[in-house]
């Protein structure tokens, strides 16, 4: 994106053609997602039940939909900065290479916090941890939108990376805990589809909004979408089946991870 902006100055025909192609690609993905949602509403899939298969716990299908919304909006946050790096550099008067560090500020904490947050999710509650991380993610977006300087923006992206690191892996763990093996692959594939859709649309939406209204508007838009998903999470998790929690015990983290890595296949998965 940075190289293309250097090759094709603003207002040039090649750049306008690339922007139009980018817009049409994002719009096509959005239309396909809308068609899929309408088709699912018209012909709902069989409910995905927990292990107990009790009819009173049938809201798992709704809960899975809420979790998919959470990972979708998290993916939007992940890719929202990349297309507007040059705009951020211009707005905060920093080098483009320095502004590009915002991607690292998100990705590195995202990777590092997953093991400890995964253990924390087992101790407290997976849905509660996802909700807390989602709120932090939304707050970081609004801080980014109002950041007076690059230091504040950088710090807010670090917080966003930490919060995102507690959402995606926890969503997969929730599916693994709640859904029988026979249906687990379908549930996980839905979560992965929501993630990939968010990755595709995140860059497209950020590029369009950034060109039309500036880079701060990008964070306002994704933050606003995050607020809607927070409301959906509050409603969707209200009647969730009670989770089995191990209790807060830091001494159990080491033995649990050692038990995992005793399995030779764990090294391949990780």
């Amino acid at each position: 994106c940075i190289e293309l902006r250097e090759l094709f100055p603003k207002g040039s025909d090649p750049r306008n053609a690339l922007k139009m192609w980018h817009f049409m690609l994002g719009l096509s993905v959005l239309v396909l997602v809308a068609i899929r949602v309408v088709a699912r509403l018209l012909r709902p899939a069989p409910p995905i039940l927990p292990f107990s298969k009790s009819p009173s716990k049938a809201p798992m299908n709704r809960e899975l939909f809420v979790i998919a919304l959470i990972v979708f909006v998290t993916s939007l946050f992940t890719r929202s900065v990349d297309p507007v790096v040059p705009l951020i550099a211009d707005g905060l008067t920093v080098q483009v290479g320095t502004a590009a560090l915002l991607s690292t500020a998100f990705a590195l904490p995202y990777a590092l916090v997953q093991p400890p947050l995964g253990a924390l999710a087992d101790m407290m509650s997976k849905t509660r941890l996802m909700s807390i991380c989602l709120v932090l993610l939304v707050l970081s977006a609004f801080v980014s939108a109002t950041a007076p300087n690059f230091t504040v923006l950088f710090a807010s992206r670090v917080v966003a990376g930490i919060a995102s690191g507690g959402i995606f892996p926890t969503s997969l763990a929730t599916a693994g805990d709640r859904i029988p093996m026979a249906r687990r692959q379908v549930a996980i594939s839905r979560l992965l589809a929501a993630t990939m859709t968010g990755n595709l649309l995140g860059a497209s939406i950020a590029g369009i909004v950034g060109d039309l209204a500036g880079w701060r508007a990008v964070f306002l838009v994704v933050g606003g979408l995050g607020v809607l998903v927070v409301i959906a999470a509050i409603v969707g998790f209200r009647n969730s089946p009670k989770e089995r929690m191990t209790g807060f015990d830091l001494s159990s983290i080491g033995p649990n991870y050692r038990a995992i890595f005793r399995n030779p296949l764990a090294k391949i998965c990780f």
Side-chain angles (χ1 to χ4, degrees):
C1 175
I2 296 170
E3 292 175 356
L4 288 177
R5 293 178 72 93
E6 294 291 336
L7 290 173
F8 305 121
K10 195 169 185 178
S12 63
D13 292 337
R15 180 174 174 180
N16 290 334
L18 285 172
K19 286 172 58 179
M20 181 58 64
W21 178 84
H22 197 197
F23 173 77
M24 293 304 297
L25 178 63
L27 184 62
S28 301
V29 173
L30 187 61
V31 170
L32 290 175
V33 171
I35 292 173
R36 176 65 175 168
V37 170
V38 171
R40 178 55 53 85
L41 292 175
L42 294 178
R43 189 177 59 183
I48 299 176
L49 300 176
F51 282 113
S52 66
K53 299 182 181 179
S54 169
S56 63
K57 294 185 177 180
M60 181 60 211
N61 216 34
R62 180 185 64 186
E63 184 178 344
L64 184 67
F65 179 72
V66 172
I67 295 173
L69 284 178
I70 293 174
V71 297
F72 169 76
V73 79
T74 303
S75 300
L76 289 182
F77 278 86
T78 304
R79 298 300 307 275
S80 61
V81 166
D82 300 344
V84 293
V85 164
L87 297 178
I88 293 174
D90 292 340
L92 297 179
T93 62
V94 297
Q95 297 293 326
V96 173
T98 302
L101 291 175
L102 293 172
S103 297
T104 305
F106 183 96
L108 191 59
Y110 175 82
L112 293 178
V113 301
Q114 291 186 26
L117 287 184
L120 183 61
D122 288 333
M123 294 178 188
M124 51 183 297
S125 164
K126 293 181 177 65
T127 54
R128 185 180 301 169
L129 179 66
M130 282 191 291
S131 300
I132 293 173
C133 289
L134 180 61
V135 171
L136 288 176
L137 198 59
V138 171
L139 292 176
S140 71
F142 291 122
V143 171
S144 298
T146 58
N149 52 56
F150 183 76
T151 302
V152 174
L153 180 58
F154 188 90
S156 68
R157 289 302 290 174
V158 171
V159 173
I162 293 172
S164 297
I167 291 177
F168 179 69
T170 307
S171 70
L172 299 181
T174 303
D177 287 348
R178 302 288 186 84
I179 299 172
M181 183 63 72
R183 297 170 179 167
R184 192 173 297 166
Q185 293 86 348
V186 175
I188 291 177
S189 69
R190 293 176 184 174
L191 297 180
L192 293 177
T195 302
M196 290 185 288
T197 303
N199 283 330
L200 288 171
L201 291 179
S204 301
I205 292 174
I208 295 169
V209 174
D211 276 337
L212 293 177
W215 64 269
R216 294 184 187 274
V218 173
F219 292 108
L220 290 175
V221 169
V222 294
L225 293 174
V227 170
L228 296 178
V229 177
V230 168
I231 296 172
I234 293 173
V235 175
F237 291 152
R238 186 185 305 167
N239 297 319
S240 297
K242 188 175 181 180
E243 297 182 53
R244 183 179 58 199
M245 295 175 286
T246 62
F248 193 78
D249 183 11
L250 294 177
S251 63
S252 65
I253 296 178
N256 288 342
Y257 275 109
R258 283 195 296 270
I260 291 173
F261 280 104
R262 287 194 192 103
N263 187 336
L265 296 178
K267 297 180 178 64
I268 300 175
C269 293
F270 277 88

